[in-house]
Every structure is written in structure tokens, then in C-alpha cells.
Amino acid sequence: MNLLHLADGFRNRFKAEPRVFRAPGRVNLIGEHTDYNDGFVMPAAIHFATYVAVNERDDASVSVYSHTLREAFEFDLTRPGRFGGWRDYVAGTAYALQERGVKLAGANLYIDSDVPLGAGVSSSAALEVATAHALLSVAGANVDPLLIALACQRAENEYVGVRSGIMDQFVSCFGQQNHALMIDCRTLDYEALPLPPGVVLVVCNTMVKHELTGGEYNERRADCEEGSRLLGVAALRDVTLDDLRERGGTLPERVYRRCRHVVTENARVELAADAVRKHDCSRFGELMYESHRSLREDYEVTCDELDLMVDLAREVRGVYGARMTGGGFGGCTINLLAVDAVERFQRSVSDGYRARTGIQPMLYVTGAHDGAGEIVLAG
Ligand code: ADP
Ligand code: MG
């Protein structure tokens, strides 16, 4: 991101000096579809981020421009409502903060981002969290980052209308350089786990997004809710694999498989955390492949392109593990590999994917980065 262009864009539009806040996108290393089951996830914040330049206004309006989309709108802090599309991520964040008792002030926001939109690396959370930081700064409010994450999640749930878990906003707030975060989505406790030296993360974008019937995400959630109801627990987090083997016989077959994914995936996150602590990349990688298999066979949220991307990665020397990441049905895979395998990996996976699908994939080499904060402009 060119911060000088961002600041100039702001000055031209709003005739004032801005402060600039940044919030990163994320990639989930392991623990997929576990967050809304009160389970464990292990994301890292990535280097792609959304930037919001901001200054204060003397009324209760927020004037917003997204340079990414070349669109503007304005909303009134005293009149919560819905605006449609990307606007609700921004306005919803303001309203959700106010609902949690934060007093906001009018502001001008100039937004730009290098997080790919809709690719599964959470440009939405990056937008919400960067917006929250910008609005809080002009309001002079000092707010617990956990409250920020929860308000941003609420914006997405209540104003945008997506029933997402807390992971994306949480890691965008709390991410740490060179660390993955293992988050307990029930208690919101987390542990920062240092990534082993000499490894990189590569996100591979399949460039496809299958819409299917649209309600797939909510259907998976409904299956999980039915499973936990039939098993008599508050959430699938409370079920062990032994419980499931003993008592799962009464579940409808599909619900059983959905539950088996969640239960085994939670166990894999804990095993993966052990592997990271021991710097055992091979073990971590095996768990990633296992996760992908479970998402394909039991949770049924992969697609041919994701499966192909993982198979191509597996053939490259120096790759420890690969799996789909994000909601599924397209989007991205996450790959853990040795630094010296990066070039080989990029060539072989790009060529292989293009040859088989006719689509040029996007590969992003990244590491783990810090969560949201202010950027001090030089000069
Ligand atoms: P993901 O979070 O995986 O990128 P989502 O569908 O959850 O995908 O969020 C993408 C949406 O977030 C975009 O379609 C847009 O509405 C909004 N968005 C994200 N970044 C920006 C931005 N810089 N400017 C305007 N809208 C954005
Ligand atoms: Mg999102």
C-alpha cells in the first residue's frame, strides 16, 4: 500500500490532515468451521491490510470513501440503519460500537486496501477493524481490543447479515508478528504460538467462488446445531471422538459426518499447537492434509479446484502441508513450506493449476504479522 497516495487522496477529498489506521486480513492455518461450534482455530494475520485515513468532523455524520471501490456514502451516527453492500461493514461497525456503549464522533474516512476482496482472507474483518480503530481515535475512546473485535463481529452478523464467528475480527485485532494465534472460541482465551524459523505461508487463490444454493454456510451451521441438540450438549466443542462413537449412532448420517469433522478438527488444532511448540513442521503438515480430507469427505465444503490445488502442493518438495482455508466452495488454500521451496512451489502449482483448469491462480507468499494499529506517517 502506498501510504503517501492514501494520505494525498484523503487531503484532496477532505482538505485536512489525516491519521492512518491499519488492520490486516488473515489466513487460518487449521481449525475450519470450528469457531461457531465454540471450538479452536489457529489463524495468523497476514501482510495484506486495509488502511483507513481519518479526521474529525464537527457534526454527527461519517463521510466515507472507499478508494478500493471508488464509491462514497455518508451516514448519521444517531440514526442506525442499513445501507446495502460494502457500506454496512463500515456503518455497522460504528453502530455496533455505539451499542456497546462507546461514544463516537463524526469523522471523514478514506479507505484503501490491498487485501483481495472476497477471496477468503477476510477483507471484511480488515475493513471493520480498521474502521473501528479510525472512529475510536477521533472519538478519543480507549477501548479494550476484545470489545473492538466483538463489535466488528456484530457489525457483520447484524448489519451485513453474515453469521460469521469471531475468528477473523479477533486475529485482525490481536495478530502478532511471526506468531499464529490458537484461539478458544468459547472463552476467547488465546495463545500466541511462534512459527518455526525457516517456514513461509503461501495462500493460493483458486479464483473460483461457487455460489451453489447460497445457503450452504447456514446449512452447515444448522447441521451442527442439530448434532449438538441430539447429543445433549451446548456446542460440539463439548463432544469427544469417543462420545461421538458411542452416542453418535442415533444421529442422521449426514449430521454425524458434520459432527465428526468438527470433533476431529478441534482435536487436530490442539495437536497442531503441540507440533508448533516442538517446531515439528512435518507433523503440522500432516494435520493440515487430514483437515482437508475431513473438510472434503465429512463436511463437504471443498470443490474440485481446492482439491486440485492441495494435490498439486503435495507433490512439491519442501511442502509440509496444504489445505483449504476459509468457508470453502472456492477461495483459497493455505500451504506451509520451507523458505527455499517457494520458487519451486510457485512455478509448479501455478503451471499445474493453469494447465488443468485454464485459470491463472493468484499466489500470495506471506508470514504472520501484527494486528491492527496506527501507522505514523513519515514527515
Ligand atoms: P472476504 O472477507 O473473504 O474478503 P467477504 O465477502 O466476507 O469476503 O467480504 C468482502 C466484502 O467486504 C466486499 O464485497 C465489500 O463489500 C467489503 N469490503 C472489503 N474491503 C473493502 C474495501 N476496501 N472497500 C469497500 N468494501 C470492502
Ligand atoms: Mg469476510
Side-chain angles (χ1 to χ4, degrees):
M1 176 61 50
N2 188 327
L3 292 175
L4 295 178
H5 286 175
L6 180 83
D8 278 344
F10 182 93
R11 288 184 197 108
N12 287 337
R13 196 170 183 92
F14 296 115
K15 315 290 176 225
E17 273 306 304
R19 287 171 72 184
V20 177
F21 295 83
R22 167 194 168 276
R26 63 94 187 95
V27 65
N28 190 21
L29 304 189
I30 195 158
E32 214 64 72
H33 289 281
T34 47
D35 60 348
Y36 53 83
N37 290 295
D38 276 5
F40 301 104
V41 294
M42 197 191 293
I46 57 177
H47 67 285
F48 290 132
T50 296
Y51 298 79
V52 178
V54 60
N55 85 326
E56 192 175 338
R57 286 166 64 110
D58 49 20
D59 59 12
S61 297
V62 180
S63 176
V64 190
Y65 176 70
S66 167
H67 186 67
T68 319
L69 300 182
R70 308 283 199 281
E71 283 185 45
F73 82 112
E74 197 166 310
F75 65 97
D76 184 334
L77 286 167
T78 63
R79 276 194 298 199
R82 290 180 69 160
F83 300 85
W86 67 278
R87 298 166 188 81
D88 288 323
Y89 295 90
V90 180
T93 296
Y95 296 134
L97 283 167
Q98 294 191 136
E99 284 161 20
R100 289 190 160 252
V102 182
K103 269 200 108 49
L104 294 180
N108 297 311
L109 306 180
Y110 187 104
I111 300 167
D112 204 358
S113 183
D114 50 29
V115 187
L117 269 58
V121 286
S122 209
S123 68
S124 59
L127 175 59
E128 291 147 9
V129 174
T131 298
H133 275 262
L135 290 173
L136 290 169
S137 77
V138 297
N142 204 343
V143 170
D144 179 356
L146 184 56
L147 188 150
I148 300 180
L150 288 166
C152 291
Q153 181 197 10
R154 185 175 165 80
E156 190 143 343
N157 292 171
E158 300 298 324
Y159 288 90
V160 179
V162 178
R163 291 182 71 191
S164 47
I166 186 66
M167 168 171 70
D168 300 356
Q169 293 83 5
F170 193 98
V171 68
S172 186
C173 288
F174 290 96
Q176 284 182 27
Q177 182 84 25
N178 292 330
H179 290 71
L181 303 188
M182 175 168 164
I183 307 168
D184 179 333
C185 295
R186 170 170 282 167
T187 62
L188 300 184
D189 287 334
Y190 72 98
E191 184 184 354
L193 298 161
L195 292 179
V199 300
V200 289
L201 306 174
V202 183
V203 178
C204 299
N205 189 343
T206 61
M207 310 304 278
V208 301
K209 189 78 211 162
H210 300 291
E211 290 305 335
L212 303 166
T213 54
E216 295 282 343
Y217 181 81
N218 291 344
E219 279 170 36
R220 294 302 180 283
R221 287 190 71 140
D223 284 347
C224 292
E225 279 161 19
E226 188 182 350
S228 52
R229 189 174 52 77
L230 293 172
L231 291 166
V233 293
L236 291 179
R237 153 69 177 277
D238 301 308
V239 179
T240 65
L241 195 52
D242 284 343
D243 293 339
L244 191 64
R245 285 200 189 104
E246 256 168 51
R247 298 166 45 226
T250 56
L251 299 180
E253 190 270 344
R254 191 189 70 217
V255 173
Y256 180 82
R257 280 187 294 116
R258 305 296 190 243
C259 293
R260 185 167 60 191
H261 166 70
V262 174
V263 169
T264 57
E265 185 77 353
N266 275 327
R268 278 188 289 272
V269 179
E270 294 190 276
L271 292 169
D274 284 339
V276 178
R277 289 186 200 104
K278 292 178 187 143
H279 286 190
D280 187 346
C281 295
S282 304
R283 176 69 181 132
F284 195 102
E286 280 168 22
L287 292 162
M288 292 172 80
Y289 289 128
E290 263 305 296
S291 167
H292 187 82
R293 196 193 53 74
S294 177
L295 288 157
R296 187 182 67 230
E297 293 174 8
D298 280 351
Y299 222 63
E300 297 180 280
V301 291
T302 73
C303 59
D304 291 345
E305 294 87 351
L306 285 167
D307 295 342
L308 171 64
M309 200 73 99
V310 168
D311 289 341
L312 290 168
R314 197 194 295 264
E315 285 162 23
V316 180
R317 192 162 35 85
V319 173
Y320 298 112
R323 54 182 286 279
M324 61 153 266
T325 185
F329 304 113
C332 298
T333 65
I334 171 68
N335 303 264
L336 182 73
L337 45 140
V339 170
D340 59 19
V342 168
E343 274 178 35
R344 185 163 63 235
F345 177 90
Q346 286 176 304
R347 206 174 332 107
S348 153
V349 170
S350 285
D351 292 353
Y353 188 78
R354 199 177 44 243
R356 295 276 296 275
T357 62
I359 303 168
Q360 177 67 46
M362 295 277 282
L363 273 53
Y364 319 113
V365 180
T366 185
H369 292 265
D370 280 329
E374 182 164 9
I375 306 267
V376 180
L377 295 172

